[in-house]
Amino acid sequence: QVQLVESGGGLVQPGGSLRLSCTASKSIFSVNAMGWYRQAPAKERELVARINSSGSIMYADSVKGRFTISRDNAKNTVYLQMNSLKPEDTAVYYCRAADSVSPYVFWGQGTQVTVSS
């Protein structure tokens, strides 16, 4: 079982920055992959960024060049640095862990990001 806790969301003006944190209850080095997803009201949840245990990273096209995913294995924490934020980035952001044991996928509770002037 993997438990995830997100933090760092809030209200920011367009062009501003936020850093989200996701802390796991077990070593993230032993987890297959961790990622950030987001879901706006009445929208499907979508992948934002993902990093696997080897450090391979993937970003959604909409955030490339603006967002950076990183990890701190000693703290069992994955970060999402979000720069040049746009109103369309407004959503609830969820941390996701993909593990090798059932139920395989674990989600955090989500943290709200609102980009507005």
mmCIF file of all heavy atoms in Angstrom, residues 52-101:
data_model
loop_
_atom_site.group_PDB
_atom_site.id
_atom_site.type_symbol
_atom_site.label_atom_id
_atom_site.label_comp_id
_atom_site.label_asym_id
_atom_site.label_seq_id
_atom_site.Cartn_x
_atom_site.Cartn_y
_atom_site.Cartn_z
ATOM 1 N N ASN A 52 9.688 7.897 -13.745
ATOM 2 C CA ASN A 52 9.789 6.530 -13.260
ATOM 3 C C ASN A 52 10.988 6.386 -12.329
ATOM 4 O O ASN A 52 11.727 7.340 -12.071
ATOM 5 C CB ASN A 52 9.832 5.534 -14.421
ATOM 6 C CG ASN A 52 11.102 5.610 -15.252
ATOM 7 O OD1 ASN A 52 12.100 6.203 -14.855
ATOM 8 N ND2 ASN A 52 11.060 4.992 -16.429
ATOM 9 N N SER A 53 11.177 5.176 -11.819
ATOM 10 C CA SER A 53 12.212 4.940 -10.821
ATOM 11 C C SER A 53 13.618 5.119 -11.370
ATOM 12 O O SER A 53 14.563 5.292 -10.592
ATOM 13 C CB SER A 53 12.065 3.536 -10.230
ATOM 14 O OG SER A 53 12.158 2.543 -11.236
ATOM 15 N N SER A 54 13.764 5.083 -12.687
ATOM 16 C CA SER A 54 15.056 5.292 -13.320
ATOM 17 C C SER A 54 15.311 6.744 -13.685
ATOM 18 O O SER A 54 16.384 7.074 -14.187
ATOM 19 C CB SER A 54 15.180 4.425 -14.574
ATOM 20 O OG SER A 54 15.106 3.057 -14.254
ATOM 21 N N GLY A 55 14.317 7.596 -13.479
ATOM 22 C CA GLY A 55 14.474 8.999 -13.772
ATOM 23 C C GLY A 55 13.937 9.448 -15.111
ATOM 24 O O GLY A 55 14.051 10.631 -15.442
ATOM 25 N N SER A 56 13.373 8.541 -15.883
ATOM 26 C CA SER A 56 12.796 8.905 -17.169
ATOM 27 C C SER A 56 11.557 9.770 -16.957
ATOM 28 O O SER A 56 10.705 9.448 -16.133
ATOM 29 C CB SER A 56 12.439 7.659 -17.969
ATOM 30 O OG SER A 56 11.883 7.999 -19.218
ATOM 31 N N ILE A 57 11.452 10.851 -17.708
ATOM 32 C CA ILE A 57 10.413 11.854 -17.506
ATOM 33 C C ILE A 57 9.600 12.059 -18.770
ATOM 34 O O ILE A 57 10.139 12.052 -19.880
ATOM 35 C CB ILE A 57 11.048 13.192 -17.057
ATOM 36 C CG1 ILE A 57 11.688 13.042 -15.674
ATOM 37 C CG2 ILE A 57 10.021 14.305 -17.068
ATOM 38 C CD1 ILE A 57 12.503 14.238 -15.253
ATOM 39 N N MET A 58 8.314 12.261 -18.593
ATOM 40 C CA MET A 58 7.423 12.592 -19.689
ATOM 41 C C MET A 58 6.511 13.736 -19.257
ATOM 42 O O MET A 58 6.026 13.758 -18.128
ATOM 43 C CB MET A 58 6.587 11.382 -20.103
ATOM 44 C CG MET A 58 5.575 11.667 -21.205
ATOM 45 S SD MET A 58 4.676 10.189 -21.736
ATOM 46 C CE MET A 58 6.010 9.283 -22.519
ATOM 47 N N TYR A 59 6.282 14.693 -20.165
ATOM 48 C CA TYR A 59 5.405 15.832 -19.913
ATOM 49 C C TYR A 59 4.297 15.882 -20.951
ATOM 50 O O TYR A 59 4.490 15.502 -22.113
ATOM 51 C CB TYR A 59 6.162 17.152 -19.986
ATOM 52 C CG TYR A 59 7.218 17.354 -18.941
ATOM 53 C CD1 TYR A 59 8.563 17.168 -19.236
ATOM 54 C CD2 TYR A 59 6.874 17.755 -17.657
ATOM 55 C CE1 TYR A 59 9.542 17.365 -18.279
ATOM 56 C CE2 TYR A 59 7.848 17.954 -16.692
ATOM 57 C CZ TYR A 59 9.176 17.761 -17.010
ATOM 58 O OH TYR A 59 10.146 17.970 -16.048
ATOM 59 N N ALA A 60 3.163 16.385 -20.529
ATOM 60 C CA ALA A 60 2.129 16.724 -21.485
ATOM 61 C C ALA A 60 2.594 17.892 -22.342
ATOM 62 O O ALA A 60 3.315 18.777 -21.866
ATOM 63 C CB ALA A 60 0.832 17.091 -20.771
ATOM 64 N N ASP A 61 2.183 17.906 -23.603
ATOM 65 C CA ASP A 61 2.600 18.976 -24.500
ATOM 66 C C ASP A 61 2.213 20.356 -23.972
ATOM 67 O O ASP A 61 2.939 21.330 -24.177
ATOM 68 C CB ASP A 61 1.988 18.772 -25.888
ATOM 69 C CG ASP A 61 2.617 17.620 -26.642
ATOM 70 O OD1 ASP A 61 3.727 17.192 -26.274
ATOM 71 O OD2 ASP A 61 1.996 17.143 -27.606
ATOM 72 N N SER A 62 1.101 20.437 -23.288
ATOM 73 C CA SER A 62 0.597 21.712 -22.822
ATOM 74 C C SER A 62 1.450 22.351 -21.732
ATOM 75 O O SER A 62 1.318 23.550 -21.472
ATOM 76 C CB SER A 62 -0.845 21.556 -22.312
ATOM 77 O OG SER A 62 -0.906 20.632 -21.247
ATOM 78 N N VAL A 63 2.320 21.571 -21.093
ATOM 79 C CA VAL A 63 3.123 22.107 -19.999
ATOM 80 C C VAL A 63 4.617 22.057 -20.275
ATOM 81 O O VAL A 63 5.405 22.537 -19.448
ATOM 82 C CB VAL A 63 2.822 21.381 -18.670
ATOM 83 C CG1 VAL A 63 1.327 21.406 -18.375
ATOM 84 C CG2 VAL A 63 3.342 19.947 -18.693
ATOM 85 N N LYS A 64 5.026 21.514 -21.392
ATOM 86 C CA LYS A 64 6.449 21.438 -21.715
ATOM 87 C C LYS A 64 7.065 22.831 -21.747
ATOM 88 O O LYS A 64 6.508 23.762 -22.316
ATOM 89 C CB LYS A 64 6.656 20.749 -23.064
ATOM 90 C CG LYS A 64 6.436 19.253 -23.036
ATOM 91 C CD LYS A 64 6.691 18.634 -24.406
ATOM 92 C CE LYS A 64 6.499 17.131 -24.374
ATOM 93 N NZ LYS A 64 6.681 16.518 -25.716
ATOM 94 N N GLY A 65 8.217 22.952 -21.124
ATOM 95 C CA GLY A 65 8.899 24.229 -21.053
ATOM 96 C C GLY A 65 8.456 25.103 -19.913
ATOM 97 O O GLY A 65 9.100 26.129 -19.638
ATOM 98 N N ARG A 66 7.372 24.731 -19.244
ATOM 99 C CA ARG A 66 6.860 25.524 -18.124
ATOM 100 C C ARG A 66 6.901 24.766 -16.803
ATOM 101 O O ARG A 66 7.145 25.371 -15.760
ATOM 102 C CB ARG A 66 5.428 25.972 -18.395
ATOM 103 C CG ARG A 66 5.279 26.838 -19.640
ATOM 104 C CD ARG A 66 3.882 27.435 -19.739
ATOM 105 N NE ARG A 66 2.855 26.404 -19.852
ATOM 106 C CZ ARG A 66 1.857 26.247 -18.988
ATOM 107 N NH1 ARG A 66 1.747 27.064 -17.943
ATOM 108 N NH2 ARG A 66 0.952 25.294 -19.176
ATOM 109 N N PHE A 67 6.648 23.461 -16.846
ATOM 110 C CA PHE A 67 6.598 22.646 -15.634
ATOM 111 C C PHE A 67 7.812 21.732 -15.581
ATOM 112 O O PHE A 67 8.327 21.287 -16.616
ATOM 113 C CB PHE A 67 5.340 21.772 -15.610
ATOM 114 C CG PHE A 67 4.047 22.520 -15.434
ATOM 115 C CD1 PHE A 67 3.989 23.903 -15.489
ATOM 116 C CD2 PHE A 67 2.878 21.812 -15.210
ATOM 117 C CE1 PHE A 67 2.785 24.577 -15.331
ATOM 118 C CE2 PHE A 67 1.676 22.469 -15.044
ATOM 119 C CZ PHE A 67 1.627 23.848 -15.106
ATOM 120 N N THR A 68 8.250 21.419 -14.372
ATOM 121 C CA THR A 68 9.358 20.504 -14.160
ATOM 122 C C THR A 68 9.013 19.538 -13.034
ATOM 123 O O THR A 68 8.671 19.972 -11.932
ATOM 124 C CB THR A 68 10.654 21.249 -13.808
ATOM 125 O OG1 THR A 68 10.984 22.180 -14.841
ATOM 126 C CG2 THR A 68 11.810 20.261 -13.647
ATOM 127 N N ILE A 69 9.096 18.249 -13.311
ATOM 128 C CA ILE A 69 8.897 17.242 -12.283
ATOM 129 C C ILE A 69 10.261 16.783 -11.780
ATOM 130 O O ILE A 69 11.213 16.633 -12.559
ATOM 131 C CB ILE A 69 8.065 16.050 -12.807
ATOM 132 C CG1 ILE A 69 7.681 15.110 -11.664
ATOM 133 C CG2 ILE A 69 8.787 15.302 -13.918
ATOM 134 C CD1 ILE A 69 6.668 14.042 -12.062
ATOM 135 N N SER A 70 10.367 16.578 -10.486
ATOM 136 C CA SER A 70 11.613 16.132 -9.892
ATOM 137 C C SER A 70 11.306 15.293 -8.664
ATOM 138 O O SER A 70 10.160 15.223 -8.215
ATOM 139 C CB SER A 70 12.508 17.323 -9.531
ATOM 140 O OG SER A 70 11.884 18.155 -8.574
ATOM 141 N N ARG A 71 12.325 14.661 -8.123
ATOM 142 C CA ARG A 71 12.131 13.803 -6.960
ATOM 143 C C ARG A 71 13.264 13.965 -5.977
ATOM 144 O O ARG A 71 14.392 14.327 -6.346
ATOM 145 C CB ARG A 71 12.016 12.342 -7.390
ATOM 146 C CG ARG A 71 13.309 11.778 -7.978
ATOM 147 C CD ARG A 71 13.122 10.393 -8.540
ATOM 148 N NE ARG A 71 14.383 9.852 -9.041
ATOM 149 C CZ ARG A 71 14.507 8.775 -9.772
ATOM 150 N NH1 ARG A 71 13.423 8.093 -10.113
ATOM 151 N NH2 ARG A 71 15.707 8.372 -10.171
ATOM 152 N N ASP A 72 12.954 13.692 -4.724
ATOM 153 C CA ASP A 72 13.937 13.649 -3.656
ATOM 154 C C ASP A 72 13.719 12.315 -2.957
ATOM 155 O O ASP A 72 12.810 12.171 -2.141
ATOM 156 C CB ASP A 72 13.762 14.818 -2.697
ATOM 157 C CG ASP A 72 14.855 14.883 -1.642
ATOM 158 O OD1 ASP A 72 15.448 13.848 -1.312
ATOM 159 O OD2 ASP A 72 15.113 15.996 -1.138
ATOM 160 N N ASN A 73 14.533 11.332 -3.289
ATOM 161 C CA ASN A 73 14.342 9.993 -2.750
ATOM 162 C C ASN A 73 14.498 9.947 -1.231
ATOM 163 O O ASN A 73 13.817 9.174 -0.556
ATOM 164 C CB ASN A 73 15.322 9.021 -3.399
ATOM 165 C CG ASN A 73 15.013 8.753 -4.854
ATOM 166 O OD1 ASN A 73 13.879 8.907 -5.301
ATOM 167 N ND2 ASN A 73 16.026 8.352 -5.603
ATOM 168 N N ALA A 74 15.389 10.754 -0.694
ATOM 169 C CA ALA A 74 15.606 10.761 0.746
ATOM 170 C C ALA A 74 14.367 11.212 1.498
ATOM 171 O O ALA A 74 14.134 10.789 2.634
ATOM 172 C CB ALA A 74 16.793 11.648 1.092
ATOM 173 N N LYS A 75 13.570 12.084 0.876
ATOM 174 C CA LYS A 75 12.352 12.591 1.498
ATOM 175 C C LYS A 75 11.105 11.878 1.012
ATOM 176 O O LYS A 75 9.998 12.229 1.434
ATOM 177 C CB LYS A 75 12.218 14.086 1.240
ATOM 178 C CG LYS A 75 13.324 14.936 1.852
ATOM 179 C CD LYS A 75 13.097 16.412 1.565
ATOM 180 C CE LYS A 75 14.173 17.268 2.205
ATOM 181 N NZ LYS A 75 13.969 18.713 1.917
ATOM 182 N N ASN A 76 11.263 10.894 0.136
ATOM 183 C CA ASN A 76 10.126 10.186 -0.457
ATOM 184 C C ASN A 76 9.129 11.170 -1.066
ATOM 185 O O ASN A 76 7.914 11.020 -0.926
ATOM 186 C CB ASN A 76 9.424 9.293 0.572
ATOM 187 C CG ASN A 76 10.281 8.132 1.017
ATOM 188 O OD1 ASN A 76 11.131 7.661 0.275
ATOM 189 N ND2 ASN A 76 10.056 7.661 2.236
ATOM 190 N N THR A 77 9.644 12.153 -1.753
ATOM 191 C CA THR A 77 8.820 13.246 -2.246
ATOM 192 C C THR A 77 9.080 13.515 -3.721
ATOM 193 O O THR A 77 10.230 13.495 -4.171
ATOM 194 C CB THR A 77 9.081 14.521 -1.436
ATOM 195 O OG1 THR A 77 8.744 14.287 -0.063
ATOM 196 C CG2 THR A 77 8.244 15.675 -1.949
ATOM 197 N N VAL A 78 8.002 13.763 -4.439
ATOM 198 C CA VAL A 78 8.058 14.193 -5.829
ATOM 199 C C VAL A 78 7.496 15.601 -5.906
ATOM 200 O O VAL A 78 6.507 15.918 -5.239
ATOM 201 C CB VAL A 78 7.268 13.236 -6.742
ATOM 202 C CG1 VAL A 78 7.183 13.787 -8.156
ATOM 203 C CG2 VAL A 78 7.925 11.867 -6.752
ATOM 204 N N TYR A 79 8.123 16.436 -6.709
ATOM 205 C CA TYR A 79 7.727 17.827 -6.838
ATOM 206 C C TYR A 79 7.261 18.126 -8.255
ATOM 207 O O TYR A 79 7.669 17.480 -9.223
ATOM 208 C CB TYR A 79 8.894 18.755 -6.513
ATOM 209 C CG TYR A 79 9.480 18.556 -5.136
ATOM 210 C CD1 TYR A 79 10.603 17.748 -4.952
ATOM 211 C CD2 TYR A 79 8.926 19.173 -4.030
ATOM 212 C CE1 TYR A 79 11.149 17.565 -3.693
ATOM 213 C CE2 TYR A 79 9.461 18.994 -2.769
ATOM 214 C CZ TYR A 79 10.576 18.193 -2.603
ATOM 215 O OH TYR A 79 11.116 18.018 -1.348
ATOM 216 N N LEU A 80 6.431 19.128 -8.364
ATOM 217 C CA LEU A 80 6.069 19.681 -9.655
ATOM 218 C C LEU A 80 6.237 21.195 -9.570
ATOM 219 O O LEU A 80 5.440 21.880 -8.926
ATOM 220 C CB LEU A 80 4.631 19.335 -10.043
ATOM 221 C CG LEU A 80 4.215 19.793 -11.439
ATOM 222 C CD1 LEU A 80 4.972 19.020 -12.510
ATOM 223 C CD2 LEU A 80 2.707 19.641 -11.632
ATOM 224 N N GLN A 81 7.299 21.691 -10.188
ATOM 225 C CA GLN A 81 7.525 23.126 -10.263
ATOM 226 C C GLN A 81 6.760 23.664 -11.458
ATOM 227 O O GLN A 81 6.993 23.237 -12.587
ATOM 228 C CB GLN A 81 9.014 23.424 -10.399
ATOM 229 C CG GLN A 81 9.348 24.903 -10.537
ATOM 230 C CD GLN A 81 9.041 25.687 -9.289
ATOM 231 O OE1 GLN A 81 9.386 25.266 -8.194
ATOM 232 N NE2 GLN A 81 8.378 26.821 -9.437
ATOM 233 N N MET A 82 5.872 24.607 -11.222
ATOM 234 C CA MET A 82 5.015 25.156 -12.256
ATOM 235 C C MET A 82 5.334 26.633 -12.423
ATOM 236 O O MET A 82 5.126 27.431 -11.504
ATOM 237 C CB MET A 82 3.539 24.957 -11.909
ATOM 238 C CG MET A 82 3.172 23.511 -11.627
ATOM 239 S SD MET A 82 1.389 23.281 -11.368
ATOM 240 C CE MET A 82 1.183 24.210 -9.855
ATOM 241 N N ASN A 83 5.839 26.986 -13.588
ATOM 242 C CA ASN A 83 6.172 28.361 -13.910
ATOM 243 C C ASN A 83 5.300 28.860 -15.051
ATOM 244 O O ASN A 83 4.686 28.078 -15.778
ATOM 245 C CB ASN A 83 7.646 28.475 -14.300
ATOM 246 C CG ASN A 83 8.594 28.085 -13.196
ATOM 247 O OD1 ASN A 83 8.330 28.315 -12.023
ATOM 248 N ND2 ASN A 83 9.730 27.493 -13.573
ATOM 249 N N SER A 84 5.267 30.171 -15.215
ATOM 250 C CA SER A 84 4.496 30.792 -16.296
ATOM 251 C C SER A 84 3.073 30.259 -16.331
ATOM 252 O O SER A 84 2.548 29.893 -17.389
ATOM 253 C CB SER A 84 5.196 30.568 -17.639
ATOM 254 O OG SER A 84 6.510 31.096 -17.631
ATOM 255 N N LEU A 85 2.442 30.229 -15.188
ATOM 256 C CA LEU A 85 1.114 29.643 -15.083
ATOM 257 C C LEU A 85 0.077 30.436 -15.867
ATOM 258 O O LEU A 85 0.132 31.665 -15.936
ATOM 259 C CB LEU A 85 0.702 29.535 -13.621
ATOM 260 C CG LEU A 85 1.367 28.377 -12.869
ATOM 261 C CD1 LEU A 85 1.270 28.583 -11.367
ATOM 262 C CD2 LEU A 85 0.719 27.053 -13.274
ATOM 263 N N LYS A 86 -0.862 29.707 -16.442
ATOM 264 C CA LYS A 86 -1.930 30.264 -17.245
ATOM 265 C C LYS A 86 -3.275 29.931 -16.610
ATOM 266 O O LYS A 86 -3.392 28.947 -15.883
ATOM 267 C CB LYS A 86 -1.889 29.689 -18.662
ATOM 268 C CG LYS A 86 -0.560 29.852 -19.374
ATOM 269 C CD LYS A 86 -0.583 29.125 -20.710
ATOM 270 C CE LYS A 86 0.743 29.256 -21.427
ATOM 271 N NZ LYS A 86 0.736 28.521 -22.725
ATOM 272 N N PRO A 87 -4.310 30.717 -16.894
ATOM 273 C CA PRO A 87 -5.632 30.390 -16.347
ATOM 274 C C PRO A 87 -6.083 28.972 -16.689
ATOM 275 O O PRO A 87 -6.766 28.338 -15.881
ATOM 276 C CB PRO A 87 -6.542 31.438 -16.987
ATOM 277 C CG PRO A 87 -5.644 32.610 -17.195
ATOM 278 C CD PRO A 87 -4.315 32.020 -17.582
ATOM 279 N N GLU A 88 -5.707 28.470 -17.853
ATOM 280 C CA GLU A 88 -6.100 27.127 -18.243
ATOM 281 C C GLU A 88 -5.396 26.034 -17.444
ATOM 282 O O GLU A 88 -5.739 24.855 -17.578
ATOM 283 C CB GLU A 88 -5.877 26.896 -19.743
ATOM 284 C CG GLU A 88 -4.488 27.267 -20.220
ATOM 285 C CD GLU A 88 -4.431 28.651 -20.846
ATOM 286 O OE1 GLU A 88 -5.024 29.590 -20.268
ATOM 287 O OE2 GLU A 88 -3.803 28.798 -21.915
ATOM 288 N N ASP A 89 -4.425 26.407 -16.620
ATOM 289 C CA ASP A 89 -3.799 25.453 -15.713
ATOM 290 C C ASP A 89 -4.633 25.229 -14.456
ATOM 291 O O ASP A 89 -4.294 24.360 -13.647
ATOM 292 C CB ASP A 89 -2.403 25.924 -15.307
ATOM 293 C CG ASP A 89 -1.436 25.964 -16.476
ATOM 294 O OD1 ASP A 89 -1.450 25.021 -17.293
ATOM 295 O OD2 ASP A 89 -0.654 26.935 -16.563
ATOM 296 N N THR A 90 -5.685 25.994 -14.281
ATOM 297 C CA THR A 90 -6.541 25.858 -13.105
ATOM 298 C C THR A 90 -7.172 24.477 -13.064
ATOM 299 O O THR A 90 -7.829 24.051 -14.018
ATOM 300 C CB THR A 90 -7.627 26.936 -13.109
ATOM 301 O OG1 THR A 90 -7.022 28.230 -13.007
ATOM 302 C CG2 THR A 90 -8.583 26.742 -11.936
ATOM 303 N N ALA A 91 -6.968 23.769 -11.969
ATOM 304 C CA ALA A 91 -7.476 22.406 -11.823
ATOM 305 C C ALA A 91 -7.112 21.893 -10.442
ATOM 306 O O ALA A 91 -6.343 22.519 -9.708
ATOM 307 C CB ALA A 91 -6.876 21.485 -12.891
ATOM 308 N N VAL A 92 -7.669 20.745 -10.105
ATOM 309 C CA VAL A 92 -7.184 19.995 -8.961
ATOM 310 C C VAL A 92 -6.057 19.100 -9.453
ATOM 311 O O VAL A 92 -6.227 18.358 -10.427
ATOM 312 C CB VAL A 92 -8.289 19.155 -8.303
ATOM 313 C CG1 VAL A 92 -7.725 18.332 -7.155
ATOM 314 C CG2 VAL A 92 -9.406 20.063 -7.801
ATOM 315 N N TYR A 93 -4.926 19.174 -8.795
ATOM 316 C CA TYR A 93 -3.764 18.398 -9.185
ATOM 317 C C TYR A 93 -3.612 17.211 -8.242
ATOM 318 O O TYR A 93 -3.636 17.365 -7.019
ATOM 319 C CB TYR A 93 -2.504 19.263 -9.158
ATOM 320 C CG TYR A 93 -2.407 20.188 -10.342
ATOM 321 C CD1 TYR A 93 -3.275 21.272 -10.461
ATOM 322 C CD2 TYR A 93 -1.481 19.972 -11.354
ATOM 323 C CE1 TYR A 93 -3.215 22.116 -11.559
ATOM 324 C CE2 TYR A 93 -1.404 20.810 -12.448
ATOM 325 C CZ TYR A 93 -2.271 21.882 -12.550
ATOM 326 O OH TYR A 93 -2.208 22.718 -13.639
ATOM 327 N N TYR A 94 -3.446 16.029 -8.833
ATOM 328 C CA TYR A 94 -3.362 14.783 -8.085
ATOM 329 C C TYR A 94 -2.020 14.107 -8.307
ATOM 330 O O TYR A 94 -1.529 14.040 -9.433
ATOM 331 C CB TYR A 94 -4.454 13.809 -8.524
ATOM 332 C CG TYR A 94 -5.864 14.268 -8.257
ATOM 333 C CD1 TYR A 94 -6.567 14.980 -9.219
ATOM 334 C CD2 TYR A 94 -6.494 13.974 -7.054
ATOM 335 C CE1 TYR A 94 -7.869 15.397 -8.985
ATOM 336 C CE2 TYR A 94 -7.795 14.386 -6.817
ATOM 337 C CZ TYR A 94 -8.476 15.093 -7.785
ATOM 338 O OH TYR A 94 -9.768 15.499 -7.553
ATOM 339 N N CYS A 95 -1.470 13.595 -7.244
ATOM 340 C CA CYS A 95 -0.290 12.765 -7.319
ATOM 341 C C CYS A 95 -0.713 11.311 -7.517
ATOM 342 O O CYS A 95 -1.687 10.857 -6.919
ATOM 343 C CB CYS A 95 0.533 12.908 -6.034
ATOM 344 S SG CYS A 95 2.095 12.003 -6.022
ATOM 345 N N ARG A 96 0.004 10.593 -8.356
ATOM 346 C CA ARG A 96 -0.312 9.205 -8.660
ATOM 347 C C ARG A 96 0.944 8.350 -8.555
ATOM 348 O O ARG A 96 2.000 8.743 -9.047
ATOM 349 C CB ARG A 96 -0.898 9.087 -10.067
ATOM 350 C CG ARG A 96 -1.185 7.668 -10.540
ATOM 351 C CD ARG A 96 -1.636 7.681 -11.990
ATOM 352 N NE ARG A 96 -1.975 6.369 -12.505
ATOM 353 C CZ ARG A 96 -1.117 5.537 -13.091
ATOM 354 N NH1 ARG A 96 0.159 5.886 -13.224
ATOM 355 N NH2 ARG A 96 -1.520 4.358 -13.540
ATOM 356 N N ALA A 97 0.812 7.190 -7.924
ATOM 357 C CA ALA A 97 1.891 6.222 -7.836
ATOM 358 C C ALA A 97 1.471 4.937 -8.516
ATOM 359 O O ALA A 97 0.353 4.461 -8.318
ATOM 360 C CB ALA A 97 2.265 5.948 -6.386
ATOM 361 N N ALA A 98 2.352 4.393 -9.329
ATOM 362 C CA ALA A 98 2.142 3.103 -9.978
ATOM 363 C C ALA A 98 3.072 2.096 -9.331
ATOM 364 O O ALA A 98 4.292 2.203 -9.467
ATOM 365 C CB ALA A 98 2.401 3.202 -11.475
ATOM 366 N N ASP A 99 2.480 1.132 -8.623
ATOM 367 C CA ASP A 99 3.237 0.154 -7.875
ATOM 368 C C ASP A 99 3.155 -1.209 -8.560
ATOM 369 O O ASP A 99 2.367 -1.415 -9.487
ATOM 370 C CB ASP A 99 2.709 0.064 -6.439
ATOM 371 C CG ASP A 99 3.769 -0.376 -5.452
ATOM 372 O OD1 ASP A 99 4.876 -0.756 -5.874
ATOM 373 O OD2 ASP A 99 3.486 -0.346 -4.236
ATOM 374 N N SER A 100 3.965 -2.149 -8.088
ATOM 375 C CA SER A 100 4.004 -3.485 -8.675
ATOM 376 C C SER A 100 3.071 -4.465 -7.983
ATOM 377 O O SER A 100 2.989 -5.616 -8.395
ATOM 378 C CB SER A 100 5.437 -4.023 -8.644
ATOM 379 O OG SER A 100 5.928 -4.096 -7.319
ATOM 380 N N VAL A 101 2.364 -4.028 -6.942
ATOM 381 C CA VAL A 101 1.444 -4.892 -6.226
ATOM 382 C C VAL A 101 0.045 -4.305 -6.273
ATOM 383 O O VAL A 101 -0.136 -3.100 -6.440
ATOM 384 C CB VAL A 101 1.882 -5.107 -4.758
ATOM 385 C CG1 VAL A 101 3.240 -5.791 -4.713
ATOM 386 C CG2 VAL A 101 1.936 -3.787 -4.012
#
